[in-house]
Amino acid sequence: MKELQYLNKYFVKYKYHFLTGIIITIVAQIFSLYTPKLISSSFKAIEDFSRQQNLTVEGIRQELIHNILLIILTTIAAGFLTFLMRQTLIVMSRHIEFDLKNEVFKQYENLSQNFYKQNRTGDLMNRISEDVSKVRMYVGPAVMYTINTIIRFAIVIVYMYHVSPRLTLYSLLPLPLLSYAIFKLSTEINKRSTTFQQYLSKISSFTQEVFSGIRVIKAYSLENQYQNQLAELSEESKAKSLHLAKANSQFGPLMLALIGTSNLVVIYFGGMMYINGSIKSIGTIAEFILYINMLTWPVASFGWVSSMVQEAEASQKRINEFLKIVPDIQNKEPNNTEIHGSIEFKNVGLTYDDTHIEAIKEVSFTVKKGETLAILGKTGSGKSSILSLICRLYDTTNGEILIDGKPISRVNLFDLRNSIATVPQDAFLFSDTIKNNIKFGNENASDEDVIWAAQKAVVHDNIMQFTNTYETVLGERGITLSGGQKQRVSIARALIKDAPILLLDDCLSAVDTETEEIILNNLMEFCRDKTTVIVSHRVSSAKNADKIIVLDQGQIIQQGSHNQLINQEGYYAELYLKQLSEKEMSE
């Protein structure tokens, strides 16, 4: 139960739901316990009539009808109160489920890039859906039935003891055996449930990757291979599920057998006590049998509840594994920070924790507000890492980054990222309309703003060719569009945000040179008062930049303006001549 203690804060938050549910449960149990008393009274009346103890046929008829009406009324009252109990406690569990999913999602948003490199998407999805659902069963049905069982046990045993202490003792003899059996089964269920949830996460991760990469799988004709892999995973998961189900299935028969044993004990010892005169009425035996059978469902549900608690504990343990992770990137500045756009790197170094690769080494440069910096270099030279540091997706291993002259760690994290419009190397679009994908950069943008941004990104004409134009719904990850179209929609999304800092990470790689030229000219006009950092493999993307740096193995090997670098020997001049020759040949 240690892992489930994390949920106590939610019980405190919804204490009024919780306490109201307990009160309603107590009242409902009191009403439900009138039935055995009334039946016992009816039996006693029949016995008295059979012994001719001053009762007429009309008198006993009236008493029986009176008892039947009371039984009906108390049963209706108990049923209505039970309905209110469910509405109170189960609704509370839905509120807790809502809050817990939001907490998990918020933690997902706060966790750093390193976390996502080490965890698979399918597993994370399983934890926020399947595991949270298991936890809800604990805070809802499990808690409700536990409260119901405890209160019913307490009230029923008091009633039974009041009627016959000795017969009460006899009828409760099987309970120690019940407690031991539940303890053993619960321990086993906890182990099997944890294993099953792990296999469920494996299947979720595998299928998520298959669906995301379905085009590659089809291109290589690997459908049968992946189908066989999924079949193997499903067989393993099925085996673990059946293993868990076998343990759960033992609860019901065990509970019913113990309740049946208690009934036999009541009939035998109650009958002997009636014969020797220890109890005065046969109705007492009937009353006890009803009491025992009233405990049947609570006792049977106790096994089910125990199973739910064990499964919830296993799930909450998996959730707690990352809920307790302190994000690497912390917002150390609670006050709002106004961002103008000046960026300075001072001997910055970055080593990735997961791979221990030193991506950036002693990098220094300055970009003032309104200037454009172009970063060139071979694949793996550290270009994208610089953009990640500006967005503070990672913290520097050494050195210092200044934003408007202030250390980046002392800039409000949310203000920093809100002041940056970025176009990633891998253009990601949501399964939504094209208009909403562009408006993602600015939800308050008008339709005219959306069209303006699309025109600047030279994608407006392409969009107008679709049947539903800007209302065209894209497939997952924007699969409806070509690579170049996705990049240009991503550029439009960044432009519409109108942030003081614009980061472009090789976002024109899938665009032809003519379209690239138009987009770059549009960007020059748009970025006059903005700080712009362009990462590219093409000299054409960098030639209009105020400053250019060339990286190799994380270090700056060349820097200067376009005119300065083409007159120097080195990577930039060689790349310029090569691309110039390719352009002339294509023309």
Side-chain angles (χ1 to χ4, degrees), residues 331-376:
N331 183 22
K332 300 176 182 178
E333 178 55 60
N335 298 320
N336 292 336
T337 306
E338 186 178 356
I339 307 293
H340 298 288
S342 174
I343 302 170
E344 183 177 1
F345 274 51
K346 288 186 175 181
N347 300 319
V348 171
L350 172 66
T351 301
Y352 289 114
D353 293 335
D354 54 334
T355 59
H356 302 291
I357 293 174
E358 192 175 7
I360 302 293
K361 306 172 188 175
E362 300 294 321
V363 170
S364 299
F365 63 82
T366 301
V367 190
K368 297 178 181 178
K369 174 180 170 61
E371 289 185 340
T372 297
L373 170 70
I375 305 175
L376 278 75

Short mmCIF file of all heavy atoms in Angstrom, two decimals, residues 331-376:
data_model
loop_
_atom_site.label_atom_id
_atom_site.label_comp_id
_atom_site.label_asym_id
_atom_site.label_seq_id
_atom_site.Cartn_x
_atom_site.Cartn_y
_atom_site.Cartn_z
N ASN A 331 12.60 25.86 -14.05
CA ASN A 331 12.36 27.30 -14.17
C ASN A 331 12.79 27.98 -12.87
O ASN A 331 12.08 27.95 -11.88
CB ASN A 331 10.88 27.57 -14.46
CG ASN A 331 10.59 29.05 -14.68
OD1 ASN A 331 11.49 29.81 -15.02
ND2 ASN A 331 9.35 29.45 -14.47
N LYS A 332 13.98 28.56 -12.89
CA LYS A 332 14.54 29.14 -11.66
C LYS A 332 14.18 30.61 -11.48
O LYS A 332 14.57 31.23 -10.50
CB LYS A 332 16.07 28.99 -11.68
CG LYS A 332 16.52 27.52 -11.77
CD LYS A 332 18.04 27.42 -11.89
CE LYS A 332 18.47 25.96 -12.03
NZ LYS A 332 19.94 25.82 -12.21
N GLU A 333 13.44 31.15 -12.44
CA GLU A 333 13.05 32.57 -12.37
C GLU A 333 11.53 32.67 -12.37
O GLU A 333 10.89 32.55 -13.42
CB GLU A 333 13.64 33.34 -13.55
CG GLU A 333 13.26 34.82 -13.59
CD GLU A 333 13.59 35.54 -12.30
OE1 GLU A 333 14.77 35.57 -11.90
OE2 GLU A 333 12.64 36.07 -11.67
N PRO A 334 10.92 32.85 -11.18
CA PRO A 334 9.44 32.90 -11.12
C PRO A 334 8.86 34.17 -11.73
O PRO A 334 7.70 34.18 -12.17
CB PRO A 334 9.16 32.84 -9.62
CG PRO A 334 10.40 33.39 -8.98
CD PRO A 334 11.54 33.00 -9.86
N ASN A 335 9.64 35.25 -11.76
CA ASN A 335 9.12 36.52 -12.29
C ASN A 335 9.17 36.52 -13.82
O ASN A 335 10.02 35.88 -14.44
CB ASN A 335 9.95 37.69 -11.76
CG ASN A 335 9.88 37.80 -10.24
OD1 ASN A 335 8.81 37.60 -9.65
ND2 ASN A 335 11.01 38.08 -9.61
N ASN A 336 8.25 37.25 -14.41
CA ASN A 336 8.20 37.35 -15.87
C ASN A 336 9.44 38.06 -16.41
O ASN A 336 9.97 38.97 -15.76
CB ASN A 336 6.94 38.09 -16.33
CG ASN A 336 5.68 37.29 -16.04
OD1 ASN A 336 5.73 36.08 -15.94
ND2 ASN A 336 4.56 37.98 -15.94
N THR A 337 9.90 37.62 -17.57
CA THR A 337 11.09 38.21 -18.20
C THR A 337 10.72 38.70 -19.59
O THR A 337 10.16 37.94 -20.39
CB THR A 337 12.21 37.16 -18.31
OG1 THR A 337 12.48 36.59 -17.03
CG2 THR A 337 13.49 37.81 -18.84
N GLU A 338 11.03 39.94 -19.88
CA GLU A 338 10.80 40.48 -21.22
C GLU A 338 11.98 40.13 -22.11
O GLU A 338 13.13 40.42 -21.78
CB GLU A 338 10.61 42.00 -21.15
CG GLU A 338 10.22 42.60 -22.49
CD GLU A 338 9.98 44.09 -22.41
OE1 GLU A 338 10.06 44.65 -21.28
OE2 GLU A 338 9.73 44.72 -23.45
N ILE A 339 11.70 39.48 -23.23
CA ILE A 339 12.76 39.03 -24.13
C ILE A 339 12.83 39.95 -25.35
O ILE A 339 11.83 40.18 -26.02
CB ILE A 339 12.50 37.57 -24.61
CG1 ILE A 339 12.27 36.64 -23.41
CG2 ILE A 339 13.64 37.08 -25.49
CD1 ILE A 339 13.46 36.44 -22.53
N HIS A 340 14.04 40.47 -25.62
CA HIS A 340 14.24 41.32 -26.80
C HIS A 340 14.89 40.54 -27.94
O HIS A 340 14.59 40.79 -29.11
CB HIS A 340 15.11 42.52 -26.43
CG HIS A 340 14.48 43.41 -25.40
ND1 HIS A 340 13.40 44.22 -25.67
CD2 HIS A 340 14.77 43.59 -24.09
CE1 HIS A 340 13.05 44.88 -24.58
NE2 HIS A 340 13.86 44.51 -23.60
N GLY A 341 15.79 39.59 -27.62
CA GLY A 341 16.30 38.72 -28.67
C GLY A 341 17.80 38.61 -28.80
O GLY A 341 18.30 37.84 -29.62
N SER A 342 18.56 39.33 -28.00
CA SER A 342 20.01 39.22 -28.09
C SER A 342 20.48 37.88 -27.50
O SER A 342 20.03 37.48 -26.42
CB SER A 342 20.66 40.38 -27.32
OG SER A 342 22.06 40.24 -27.28
N ILE A 343 21.39 37.20 -28.22
CA ILE A 343 21.87 35.88 -27.79
C ILE A 343 23.39 35.89 -27.79
O ILE A 343 24.02 36.34 -28.76
CB ILE A 343 21.37 34.76 -28.74
CG1 ILE A 343 19.84 34.74 -28.80
CG2 ILE A 343 21.89 33.40 -28.29
CD1 ILE A 343 19.29 33.82 -29.89
N GLU A 344 23.99 35.36 -26.73
CA GLU A 344 25.45 35.28 -26.66
C GLU A 344 25.87 33.93 -26.07
O GLU A 344 25.36 33.52 -25.02
CB GLU A 344 26.02 36.42 -25.81
CG GLU A 344 27.55 36.41 -25.76
CD GLU A 344 28.12 37.59 -24.98
OE1 GLU A 344 27.31 38.40 -24.46
OE2 GLU A 344 29.35 37.69 -24.87
N PHE A 345 26.77 33.24 -26.74
CA PHE A 345 27.37 31.99 -26.24
C PHE A 345 28.79 32.30 -25.77
O PHE A 345 29.58 32.91 -26.52
CB PHE A 345 27.43 30.95 -27.36
CG PHE A 345 26.17 30.14 -27.51
CD1 PHE A 345 24.93 30.75 -27.62
CD2 PHE A 345 26.22 28.75 -27.57
CE1 PHE A 345 23.77 30.02 -27.78
CE2 PHE A 345 25.06 28.00 -27.72
CZ PHE A 345 23.84 28.63 -27.83
N LYS A 346 29.13 31.88 -24.56
CA LYS A 346 30.46 32.08 -24.01
C LYS A 346 31.09 30.73 -23.67
O LYS A 346 30.75 30.11 -22.67
CB LYS A 346 30.40 32.94 -22.74
CG LYS A 346 30.08 34.41 -22.99
CD LYS A 346 30.19 35.19 -21.69
CE LYS A 346 30.00 36.69 -21.92
NZ LYS A 346 30.13 37.45 -20.64
N ASN A 347 31.98 30.26 -24.53
CA ASN A 347 32.71 29.00 -24.30
C ASN A 347 31.77 27.86 -23.91
O ASN A 347 32.01 27.13 -22.95
CB ASN A 347 33.78 29.19 -23.22
CG ASN A 347 34.80 30.23 -23.59
OD1 ASN A 347 35.24 30.30 -24.74
ND2 ASN A 347 35.15 31.09 -22.64
N VAL A 348 30.70 27.73 -24.66
CA VAL A 348 29.64 26.76 -24.32
C VAL A 348 30.05 25.35 -24.74
O VAL A 348 30.57 25.13 -25.84
CB VAL A 348 28.31 27.15 -25.00
CG1 VAL A 348 27.28 26.04 -24.85
CG2 VAL A 348 27.79 28.46 -24.39
N GLY A 349 29.80 24.40 -23.84
CA GLY A 349 30.01 22.98 -24.14
C GLY A 349 28.77 22.19 -23.76
O GLY A 349 28.04 22.55 -22.84
N LEU A 350 28.50 21.11 -24.49
CA LEU A 350 27.34 20.26 -24.21
C LEU A 350 27.72 18.80 -24.44
O LEU A 350 28.19 18.43 -25.52
CB LEU A 350 26.16 20.63 -25.10
CG LEU A 350 24.95 19.68 -25.05
CD1 LEU A 350 24.30 19.72 -23.66
CD2 LEU A 350 23.92 20.03 -26.12
N THR A 351 27.52 17.99 -23.41
CA THR A 351 27.71 16.55 -23.50
C THR A 351 26.40 15.86 -23.17
O THR A 351 25.83 16.12 -22.10
CB THR A 351 28.81 16.06 -22.54
OG1 THR A 351 30.03 16.73 -22.84
CG2 THR A 351 29.02 14.55 -22.67
N TYR A 352 25.90 15.02 -24.06
CA TYR A 352 24.62 14.35 -23.83
C TYR A 352 24.78 13.24 -22.78
O TYR A 352 25.72 12.44 -22.86
CB TYR A 352 24.09 13.75 -25.13
CG TYR A 352 23.61 14.81 -26.11
CD1 TYR A 352 24.27 15.00 -27.33
CD2 TYR A 352 22.51 15.60 -25.82
CE1 TYR A 352 23.84 15.96 -28.23
CE2 TYR A 352 22.07 16.57 -26.72
CZ TYR A 352 22.74 16.75 -27.91
OH TYR A 352 22.31 17.71 -28.80
N ASP A 353 23.86 13.24 -21.82
CA ASP A 353 23.95 12.29 -20.71
C ASP A 353 23.77 10.85 -21.16
O ASP A 353 24.39 9.94 -20.61
CB ASP A 353 22.89 12.62 -19.64
CG ASP A 353 23.18 13.95 -18.96
OD1 ASP A 353 24.36 14.36 -18.95
OD2 ASP A 353 22.23 14.58 -18.46
N ASP A 354 22.87 10.63 -22.14
CA ASP A 354 22.55 9.25 -22.52
C ASP A 354 23.66 8.59 -23.34
O ASP A 354 23.94 7.41 -23.20
CB ASP A 354 21.22 9.20 -23.27
CG ASP A 354 21.20 10.14 -24.46
OD1 ASP A 354 21.94 11.13 -24.44
OD2 ASP A 354 20.43 9.87 -25.42
N THR A 355 24.30 9.37 -24.22
CA THR A 355 25.33 8.80 -25.10
C THR A 355 26.75 9.21 -24.71
O THR A 355 27.71 8.63 -25.19
CB THR A 355 25.08 9.24 -26.56
OG1 THR A 355 25.13 10.68 -26.63
CG2 THR A 355 23.72 8.76 -27.04
N HIS A 356 26.84 10.25 -23.86
CA HIS A 356 28.14 10.82 -23.43
C HIS A 356 28.92 11.39 -24.61
O HIS A 356 30.15 11.49 -24.56
CB HIS A 356 28.98 9.76 -22.70
CG HIS A 356 28.29 9.18 -21.50
ND1 HIS A 356 28.04 9.91 -20.36
CD2 HIS A 356 27.77 7.94 -21.29
CE1 HIS A 356 27.42 9.15 -19.47
NE2 HIS A 356 27.24 7.95 -20.02
N ILE A 357 28.19 11.74 -25.66
CA ILE A 357 28.82 12.39 -26.82
C ILE A 357 28.97 13.88 -26.54
O ILE A 357 28.02 14.55 -26.13
CB ILE A 357 27.98 12.17 -28.10
CG1 ILE A 357 27.99 10.68 -28.49
CG2 ILE A 357 28.50 13.02 -29.24
CD1 ILE A 357 27.08 10.36 -29.66
N GLU A 358 30.16 14.40 -26.79
CA GLU A 358 30.41 15.83 -26.61
C GLU A 358 30.01 16.54 -27.90
O GLU A 358 30.76 16.58 -28.87
CB GLU A 358 31.89 16.08 -26.29
CG GLU A 358 32.17 17.50 -25.81
CD GLU A 358 33.60 17.69 -25.38
OE1 GLU A 358 34.41 16.77 -25.57
OE2 GLU A 358 33.91 18.79 -24.86
N ALA A 359 28.78 17.06 -27.90
CA ALA A 359 28.21 17.63 -29.13
C ALA A 359 28.73 19.03 -29.42
O ALA A 359 28.89 19.41 -30.58
CB ALA A 359 26.69 17.65 -29.03
N ILE A 360 28.98 19.83 -28.37
CA ILE A 360 29.44 21.21 -28.52
C ILE A 360 30.70 21.40 -27.67
O ILE A 360 30.75 20.95 -26.52
CB ILE A 360 28.36 22.21 -28.05
CG1 ILE A 360 27.07 22.03 -28.84
CG2 ILE A 360 28.86 23.65 -28.19
CD1 ILE A 360 27.16 22.39 -30.29
N LYS A 361 31.71 22.08 -28.25
CA LYS A 361 32.97 22.30 -27.53
C LYS A 361 33.40 23.77 -27.65
O LYS A 361 33.65 24.25 -28.76
CB LYS A 361 34.08 21.40 -28.10
CG LYS A 361 33.75 19.92 -28.16
CD LYS A 361 34.82 19.16 -28.93
CE LYS A 361 34.42 17.71 -29.16
NZ LYS A 361 35.41 16.98 -30.00
N GLU A 362 33.43 24.45 -26.55
CA GLU A 362 33.98 25.81 -26.49
C GLU A 362 33.46 26.72 -27.61
O GLU A 362 34.21 27.38 -28.32
CB GLU A 362 35.51 25.76 -26.57
CG GLU A 362 36.18 24.98 -25.46
CD GLU A 362 35.99 25.63 -24.09
OE1 GLU A 362 36.05 26.88 -24.03
OE2 GLU A 362 35.79 24.90 -23.10
N VAL A 363 32.14 26.75 -27.77
CA VAL A 363 31.52 27.57 -28.82
C VAL A 363 31.20 28.96 -28.27
O VAL A 363 30.56 29.08 -27.21
CB VAL A 363 30.24 26.89 -29.35
CG1 VAL A 363 29.45 27.85 -30.25
CG2 VAL A 363 30.60 25.63 -30.12
N SER A 364 31.63 29.98 -29.00
CA SER A 364 31.35 31.37 -28.59
C SER A 364 30.91 32.18 -29.80
O SER A 364 31.54 32.11 -30.86
CB SER A 364 32.60 32.01 -27.97
OG SER A 364 33.01 31.33 -26.81
N PHE A 365 29.85 32.92 -29.65
CA PHE A 365 29.39 33.84 -30.69
C PHE A 365 28.34 34.78 -30.08
O PHE A 365 27.83 34.53 -28.99
CB PHE A 365 28.81 33.10 -31.90
CG PHE A 365 27.58 32.28 -31.61
CD1 PHE A 365 26.31 32.86 -31.55
CD2 PHE A 365 27.69 30.90 -31.39
CE1 PHE A 365 25.19 32.10 -31.27
CE2 PHE A 365 26.57 30.14 -31.12
CZ PHE A 365 25.32 30.73 -31.06
N THR A 366 28.04 35.85 -30.81
CA THR A 366 27.03 36.81 -30.37
C THR A 366 26.10 37.15 -31.53
O THR A 366 26.57 37.36 -32.66
CB THR A 366 27.69 38.11 -29.86
OG1 THR A 366 28.57 37.79 -28.77
CG2 THR A 366 26.64 39.10 -29.36
N VAL A 367 24.81 37.17 -31.25
CA VAL A 367 23.81 37.58 -32.23
C VAL A 367 22.97 38.69 -31.58
O VAL A 367 22.30 38.44 -30.57
CB VAL A 367 22.89 36.43 -32.67
CG1 VAL A 367 22.04 36.87 -33.86
CG2 VAL A 367 23.68 35.19 -33.02
N LYS A 368 23.02 39.86 -32.13
CA LYS A 368 22.25 40.97 -31.58
C LYS A 368 20.83 40.96 -32.13
O LYS A 368 20.55 40.32 -33.14
CB LYS A 368 22.93 42.30 -31.90
CG LYS A 368 24.31 42.45 -31.28
CD LYS A 368 24.95 43.78 -31.68
CE LYS A 368 26.34 43.91 -31.09
NZ LYS A 368 27.01 45.17 -31.51
N LYS A 369 19.95 41.69 -31.45
CA LYS A 369 18.57 41.81 -31.90
C LYS A 369 18.54 42.36 -33.32
O LYS A 369 19.21 43.34 -33.64
CB LYS A 369 17.80 42.74 -30.96
CG LYS A 369 16.37 43.05 -31.42
CD LYS A 369 15.67 43.97 -30.43
CE LYS A 369 14.36 44.49 -30.97
NZ LYS A 369 13.39 43.43 -31.26
N GLY A 370 17.78 41.68 -34.20
CA GLY A 370 17.66 42.10 -35.58
C GLY A 370 18.68 41.48 -36.52
O GLY A 370 18.58 41.66 -37.73
N GLU A 371 19.69 40.77 -35.96
CA GLU A 371 20.70 40.13 -36.80
C GLU A 371 20.31 38.70 -37.15
O GLU A 371 19.50 38.07 -36.48
CB GLU A 371 22.06 40.12 -36.09
CG GLU A 371 22.70 41.49 -35.98
CD GLU A 371 24.09 41.42 -35.38
OE1 GLU A 371 24.41 40.39 -34.72
OE2 GLU A 371 24.87 42.37 -35.58
N THR A 372 20.94 38.20 -38.23
CA THR A 372 20.71 36.82 -38.65
C THR A 372 22.02 36.05 -38.59
O THR A 372 23.04 36.52 -39.13
CB THR A 372 20.15 36.78 -40.09
OG1 THR A 372 18.88 37.42 -40.13
CG2 THR A 372 19.98 35.33 -40.54
N LEU A 373 21.99 34.92 -37.93
CA LEU A 373 23.15 34.04 -37.83
C LEU A 373 22.87 32.76 -38.60
O LEU A 373 21.81 32.15 -38.42
CB LEU A 373 23.47 33.70 -36.37
CG LEU A 373 24.51 32.60 -36.14
CD1 LEU A 373 25.90 33.09 -36.53
CD2 LEU A 373 24.50 32.13 -34.69
N ALA A 374 23.79 32.37 -39.47
CA ALA A 374 23.67 31.09 -40.18
C ALA A 374 24.71 30.13 -39.64
O ALA A 374 25.88 30.51 -39.41
CB ALA A 374 23.87 31.30 -41.68
N ILE A 375 24.29 28.89 -39.42
CA ILE A 375 25.19 27.85 -38.90
C ILE A 375 25.27 26.74 -39.93
O ILE A 375 24.27 26.14 -40.30
CB ILE A 375 24.69 27.29 -37.56
CG1 ILE A 375 24.48 28.42 -36.54
CG2 ILE A 375 25.67 26.27 -37.01
CD1 ILE A 375 23.87 27.97 -35.22
N LEU A 376 26.46 26.46 -40.41
CA LEU A 376 26.67 25.41 -41.40
C LEU A 376 27.62 24.36 -40.83
O LEU A 376 28.37 24.63 -39.89
CB LEU A 376 27.25 25.98 -42.70
CG LEU A 376 26.24 26.60 -43.69
CD1 LEU A 376 25.77 27.95 -43.20
CD2 LEU A 376 26.87 26.73 -45.08
#
